Amino acid sequence: MDFTFGEEQEAVRGLAADVFAAKSRPERIKEIESTADRIDRELWRELATTGLLGIALPENLGGGGAGLAELYVLLEEQGRTVAPVPLWPHVLGALAIAEFGTPAQRDVLVPAAADGSLILTVALEEFGPYVDGEPATTAREVDGRWHVHGAKAAVPVAHVAERLVVSAATVSGPALFLVHPESAGVTAQQAESTTREICANVTFDGAPAEPLGPADGTAVRWLLDRAELAVAALQLGVGEGAVRQAVTYLNGRTQFGRPLATFQAVTHQLADCYIDLEAMRVTLWQAVWLLGSGEDPGTAVPVAKWWATDGGQRVVHRTQHVHGGIGVDTGYPVHRHLLWGKQLAATLGGASSDLARLGAQLAAGVEVVA
């Protein structure tokens, strides 16, 4: 397999880097954090105008027709700047609709997702230990109509989303459903996450829902694989951005007449960050390559997710540590990278959960991808 980016991926990276650099300076992010919905609407429009928002969506539905690699390049660049826009839940929701939706669902929702005129999100996590692909939330069909019962935890940007893509168990297996957040039977209790992004715990009490794809577990597994790699791509970018800030700071500060960057203890810390980031990078792109080529990813997805979860936390903690006292100042930019890194490390299960799922796959005879 070849991890070298092609011309299209490099073009996406360059454009995304320019957009985020121009629109996501620390002072701008601080300003957005004081707004009601904490989403940079100006940046959101810019991402739509440049085609980045819909880069991975089908061309016939208003998207760019690119693949998973381009999407994860975009998310990695977002992570570098911790830009306050709900890219991963929005695009993953739109991809699920494009892949499994009815013609009517696709024609109405995917073009609007590509141009940013509506926001989608995914509701995959629940309370208690994370159980991969086996939601406790249920969906029942009565007289040809589906209704969802249960609860989802920490649903991203539920306060502005116009559709939720919800995983739920049915009599024939796990499935995805589209739920309107303002429908009867839907209650959202907002909670501020550590990244200052608004999320919500959402309860479904017989909420009307539209099925999205087959009710045999395949659609849920499809979405979870891609969502876990989206989190891993973001986490890689967050770690890279944190290290970049640390290097700038350490080169600019002196102690005993020498730049802090020349101290052995500091260089060891950054060397460890480099090792973790490279492991995160190679496992991420191995899994992306396998999914994008249509091959069985085997254990590649949980391995990439575990490295992002475990290694990503180490990177953001080390980079904050080498900043000394200024690193704990909530007004200093590196603090946001720490918060993003910690929250992403807990999204879709933490490191222990990732290892447990990986162990279960190995015990079940799933192929180890090396």
Side-chain angles (χ1 to χ4, degrees), residues 139-140 146 169-174 215:
R140 296 196 294 268
W146 286 91
T170 73
V171 294
S172 58

Side-chain angles (χ1 to χ4, degrees), residues 113-129:
D115 66 23
S117 56
L118 65 73
I119 294 177
L120 304 170
T121 193
V122 294
L124 302 173
E125 297 194 73
E126 297 181 342
F127 298 94

